[in-house]
Amino acid sequence: MKYLTFWFNFSSCLMILAAIAINCAEKLGSGESYEEQRQKMVKQQIVARGVKDNRVLEAIRQVPRHLFVPVEQEYLAYEDHPLPIGHGQTISQPYIVALMTELAKVQETDVVLEIGTGSGYQAAVLSLLARKVYTIEYVQSLGLDAKERLHSLKYENVEVKIGDGYQGWPEHQPFDAIIVTAAIDHIPQPLLDQLKPGGRLVIPLEADTELQNLLVVEKSNQGKISQRQVIPVRFVPFLGTRGKTP
Ligand code: SAH
């Protein structure tokens, strides 16, 4: 009887140890720590594709992307693609986050607006570069989760609001930079109006149902608007009224 109990305990211990080992192996993927995976991601996916701004690269090296994705996706957090975050939404591919941030040319004294908080990852990256980040999310539960996550990870200069980002955030305008992370077929006029002279707006613009282009819109110090297309991209659609009266 004693022998049987011992054997039972011993084998359950083994099973528990095996489960822990499998779990760790899954989380670490290739056996590298998240920190190592993140450094590799910056080098192979971001620097290799031409992002050069050292402040942007450093911010991305610091933000623990695996804590911004659902737990079951954690081991994929540093892969070269977007990931689902629930409610049909996604956290963008790391390279696209880096590129949009570089294009926004965020300075330490800047006040930045993001439309489409999602997981809060882009906002966390921006928070390390700007003085203040305002971010608006349409889907309530995503916004609330992101708010909680950003707070617990101590990104203290970020403010999250639930609502339709089409109208911008008039109380805190003008913004030095605005980043939109959902695709729309025109540039929302309220966002253009809330951009500071000398400011930049980065937005995925739908050309047709198949094609979107990443656009950088600049407002000169004299208030003149100019724009250029950067690369084709694929973003989730902009929700809400899209400027139409409901
Ligand atoms: N920047 C996010 C990724 C966003 S995916 C991140 O770093 O994780 C696009 C997000 O935009 C989704 O969460 C979607 O709900 C949100 N969105 C879409 N339309 C919106 C609108 N009109 N106002 C605010 N957020 C919107």
Side-chain angles (χ1 to χ4, degrees), residues 35-238:
E35 169 70 29
E36 285 165 335
Q37 291 182 45
R38 190 156 66 243
Q39 303 311 318
K40 204 162 156 186
M41 168 190 89
V42 170
K43 206 165 149 198
Q44 298 182 346
Q45 301 171 31
I46 298 174
V47 176
R49 291 193 178 109
V51 175
K52 291 190 181 66
D53 187 325
N54 270 321
R55 292 184 69 236
V56 174
L57 298 174
E58 199 41 48
I60 292 182
R61 281 192 194 103
Q62 278 183 39
V63 179
R65 183 173 159 95
H66 61 280
L67 300 181
F68 288 81
V69 300
V71 212
E72 65 279 8
Q73 306 277 347
E74 225 182 85
Y75 71 107
L76 296 171
Y78 297 99
E79 298 290 309
D80 195 10
H81 50 72
L83 285 171
I85 55 170
H87 304 271
Q89 306 304 328
T90 54
I91 175 173
S92 307
Q93 181 189 12
Y95 165 63
I96 294 297
V97 175
L99 177 64
M100 291 176 84
T101 313
E102 183 175 63
L103 292 167
K105 293 191 191 143
V106 180
Q107 305 300 310
E108 271 168 73
T109 50
D110 282 0
V111 179
V112 180
L113 175 68
E114 179 196 26
I115 309 302
T117 318
S119 67
Y121 176 69
Q122 170 80 75
V125 170
L126 289 168
S127 86
L128 297 180
L129 298 167
R131 177 162 65 82
K132 182 83 192 181
V133 179
Y134 294 97
T135 176
I136 307 176
E137 171 55 50
Y138 190 77
V139 178
Q140 186 178 32
S141 68
L142 285 177
L144 293 177
D145 285 355
K147 190 175 186 161
E148 174 59 33
R149 183 177 295 123
L150 288 161
H151 178 74
S152 66
L153 293 172
K154 306 259 181 301
Y155 294 101
E156 278 157 3
N157 59 343
V158 183
E159 206 170 313
V160 182
K161 173 168 108 166
I162 315 288
D164 187 349
Y166 192 93
Q167 302 304 333
W169 199 329
E171 294 85 347
H172 299 295
Q173 64 157 323
F175 301 101
D176 297 280
I178 301 178
I179 290 187
V180 181
T181 64
I184 185 162
D185 60 4
H186 63 280
I187 303 167
Q189 188 61 40
L191 298 185
L192 268 187
D193 295 343
Q194 292 171 28
L195 192 62
K196 210 184 242 181
R200 288 89 33 213
L201 166 67
V202 183
I203 183 168
L205 201 75
E206 281 167 2
D208 55 55
T209 47
E210 291 296 302
L211 182 70
Q212 304 165 3
N213 287 303
L214 191 61
L215 208 70
V216 184
V217 183
E218 292 191 333
K219 189 188 259 187
S220 75
N221 288 328
Q222 290 70 39
K224 193 169 164 281
I225 303 293
S226 60
Q227 61 184 61
R228 69 186 165 94
Q229 279 181 20
V230 184
I231 49 163
V233 283
R234 188 174 286 266
F235 274 80
V236 290
F238 203 96

